[in-house]
Amino acid sequence: MRYRQARRNSPRNTSLILDWMHIVIGILVVIMAVVAFINPENNMILFPVIFFLAAVLNIVNGVYRYQQSGRDKKRKASALGLIMIAVFLLAVMAVSAVSIWRRG
């Protein structure tokens, strides 16, 4: 039972999940960005979604780096920087969503 629990939380599995998350969210963002820029009038709702996915990716990266940093202050600072960027992206997402909903 302990072995199974250790396997589930191993850094190898976590990094694999993180890699898959990068791939999936990256593909989604590229597809949505292309669709949104081809016809921005009909696909304005995609812009907040793109910002939200970018924020999710930054939050996940920041938390992962913070957990892996140990006592290294520079790595912790870079992790907190990623989280701050994610908060900024969430704010941009909120502003763009509000402006789209007011307009429409």
Side-chain angles (χ1 to χ4, degrees):
M1 187 71 174
R2 277 190 154 179
Y3 176 71
R4 187 180 251 175
Q5 206 171 32
R7 268 182 74 192
R8 189 180 317 149
N9 295 329
S10 73
R12 186 183 219 182
N13 288 341
T14 306
S15 65
L16 180 67
I17 291 170
L18 193 63
D19 287 342
W20 275 106
M21 185 179 276
H22 279 106
I23 292 168
V24 170
I25 291 178
I27 290 171
L28 286 174
V29 166
V30 168
I31 290 171
M32 286 190 283
V34 168
V35 170
F37 281 112
I38 287 175
N39 192 359
E41 292 295 322
N42 294 335
N43 299 315
M44 285 192 311
I45 196 67
L46 291 178
F47 289 108
V49 176
I50 292 169
F51 290 127
F52 175 73
L53 289 174
V56 166
L57 204 55
N58 276 302
I59 287 173
V60 169
N61 281 332
V63 169
Y64 178 74
R65 276 196 190 173
Y66 191 83
Q67 289 175 347
Q68 299 298 318
S69 65
R71 293 185 178 196
D72 188 3
K73 290 183 181 180
K74 288 183 182 179
R75 291 185 75 187
K76 281 189 179 186
S78 72
L80 292 176
L82 283 172
I83 293 172
M84 288 173 46
I85 291 170
V87 170
F88 173 74
L89 287 170
L90 286 174
V92 171
M93 178 208 68
V95 168
S96 69
V98 167
S99 69
I100 288 170
W101 288 328
R102 280 189 180 177
R103 191 175 187 200

